[in-house]
Amino acid sequence: MSIPSHIPAPGTTFNFAQHLIACNTSRPAKTAYIDDAGTLSYGELAERIRRLAAALLAAGVRREERVLLLMHDCSDWPVSFLGAMYAGIVPVAVNTLLTADDYAFMLAHSRAQAVLVSGALLPMLQEAMGKGAHEIKTVIVSHPGADLPEGSVALDALIQQHLPLAQAAATSPDDPGFWLYSSGSTGKPKGTLHTQANPYWTAELYGKPILGLTERDVCFSAAKLFFAYGLGNGLSFPLSVGATVVLMAERPTPAATFKRWIDHQPTVFFGAPTGFAGMLAAPGLPNKNQVSLRMASSAGEALPADLGERFTAHFGIEIIDGIGSTEMLHIYLSNLPGKVRYGTTGWPVPGYQVELRGDDGRPVADGDTGDLYVQGPSAALLYWGNREKSRETFQGGWTKSGDKYVRNADGTYTYSGRSDDMLKVSGIYVSPFEVEATLSQHPAILEAAVIGVADADGLTKTKAFVVLKSGQQVSEDELKAFVKERLAPYKYPRTIEFLAELPKTATGKIQRFKLRDLQGPAQ
């Protein structure tokens, strides 16, 4: 891989916020963001970033100290995130759907000195601050209510009080840039430390060459900005090319999503399989003549082939499915526009290397299941304060993804589940995702999740949990027969339980450990 000539070498100066400002100096009047309150131009964005940087420094926050960013998607989010980075301060972007206990842990763990928070989330923050030790000196509130509590200040007022910071902090490409917390699906959230240059690399290696984003695009992401996937979709990628971004604070329900498709006519939509399934099953699904979409992107979990094919049949556009992670920041294995292989996650993104390894640590042959390792320039530095997990995940130049894959003869990769979700049935690995994808092909099924349960002999068998589409009915025996007709007999779910909804993390991933708590013995 050749390194773009305009990225500084390690040890020289590079500030990601300043880089994005410089990318857009020629288009100050162009709309950068459209949110629920209005629009923000590129010139206004740069001004607010530099003013907030000055305000944070004036508040006593020092370079490389952390500030917590707990904010719904709106134009104040990128101002806050990039304003901190411009000053060399490290924003810690956190999920807006967590509990006060979660935020109390993150405040203590990050040792944040200030919080940038949405007015609607201020009560939750105050509850969290009352639960334990923290080092917060300043609370800065976006869109506050009528009365601000003592010790807090409105973001707009604070920005107006300060002149723009003349120069960005002279950070290096490898300096701490920001944190993201893992989703916490397997334990305590891990503070994942990324560098100033990491988001640059995701834009240069994926946003521009693979998705082909340009200044003519209007981007809209169902994945929120606090999510690694959403951060690329709604900030790093579009701002690197001068595109316009649509943000919405509310949950990305089908109705809310359709409204933005119609009102703002985005050209690129970023979603996840669960969301695509919900939209295709929802009333009010627009027809292709009502929207301006040229492409859709999917990540977060593997996209079932049937789902991609139905979306393409309806809208006439492709879903570009890929896999990324908090640790790698964005997608490193992906389908390609004009070369989509539904049912696979595509090919390695140029600039990244991937390798499948067996239990012995050696590469596996094509067609065999292996643990996915990835190497590339956007890898995180470490998990803050967690040496054991850091060493387990970041192994030399390689990052262990925790996913299992199969490499196909055409060079594509097919998802086989998380390393800790793989099932061994009758001595053979079974991919829960394969069974889930097959169940999801049944016209009555909205979502499915599969786990392993022990039978009376202690042997693992598959159990499925399914959610039916509204108004649909189907029997357990019919679904078992449906799977047996399509997969090897040992793969069919021995028991099937019907649920109103599947338990999920705040970022939409299925929490299989909760399903395991519901299990009974297999038949």
Side-chain angles (χ1 to χ4, degrees), residues 23 93 165 168 207 267 305 325 390 393 400-401 409 415 447 451 460 498:
C23 286
L165 187 64
T267 58
S325 66
S390 294
T393 299
K400 184 178 182 180
S401 72
Y415 182 65
E447 291 183 298
I451 63 169
T460 298
F498 296 87

Side-chain angles (χ1 to χ4, degrees), residues 247-460:
L247 297 176
M248 73 174 180
E250 64 185 295
R251 290 179 54 248
T253 62
T257 300
F258 299 157
K259 177 172 172 34
R260 272 69 180 187
W261 284 3
I262 300 298
D263 290 352
H264 301 301
Q265 294 293 306
T267 58
V268 182
F269 174 70
F270 301 86
T274 298
F276 285 116
M279 288 187 291
L280 287 173
L285 179 69
N287 62 52
K288 64 180 180 180
N289 297 323
Q290 293 178 279
V291 302
S292 297
L293 297 174
R294 67 170 183 86
M295 179 193 299
S297 167
S298 180
E301 54 189 337
L303 179 76
D306 176 67
L307 195 54
E309 289 162 359
R310 287 193 289 121
F311 189 90
T312 295
H314 183 86
F315 287 107
I317 64 168
E318 299 169 319
I319 298 180
I320 310 303
D321 183 36
I323 183 175
S325 66
T326 303
E327 292 77 10
M328 294 303 296
L329 192 56
H330 213 277
I331 291 170
Y332 53 82
L333 186 64
S334 179
N335 279 272
L336 305 173
K339 193 179 178 182
V340 169
R341 302 285 188 271
Y342 283 134
T344 79
T345 314
W347 297 264
V349 171
Y352 294 90
Q353 291 178 270
V354 301
E355 192 172 278
L356 300 184
R357 302 178 188 174
D359 293 340
D360 59 2
R362 297 178 180 177
V364 301
D366 285 2
D368 290 346
T369 299
D371 291 306
L372 179 66
Y373 288 74
V374 57
Q375 183 169 224
S378 63
L381 292 174
L382 49 81
Y383 298 128
W384 183 263
N386 195 334
R387 181 181 175 122
E388 180 181 0
K389 290 298 292 184
S390 294
R391 294 180 69 176
E392 181 182 317
T393 299
F394 305 107
Q395 302 181 12
W398 293 92
T399 299
K400 184 178 182 180
S401 72
D403 296 295
K404 285 189 178 286
Y405 266 85
V406 173
R407 187 178 187 272
N408 305 309
D410 64 355
T412 60
Y413 289 74
T414 299
Y415 182 65
S416 294
R418 290 288 297 173
S419 299
D420 52 2
D421 287 333
M422 287 294 288
L423 309 175
K424 214 165 192 179
V425 179
S426 302
I428 305 172
Y429 273 120
V430 175
S431 163
F433 176 76
E434 184 181 24
V435 183
E436 291 164 4
T438 302
L439 283 165
S440 295
Q441 292 173 20
H442 192 283
I445 301 300
L446 178 63
E447 291 183 298
V450 172
I451 63 169
V453 299
D455 64 12
D457 296 319
L459 300 175
T460 298

Side-chain angles (χ1 to χ4, degrees), residues 9-20:
T12 58
T13 300
F14 180 79
N15 182 287
F16 183 61
Q18 173 56 36
H19 166 71
L20 293 182

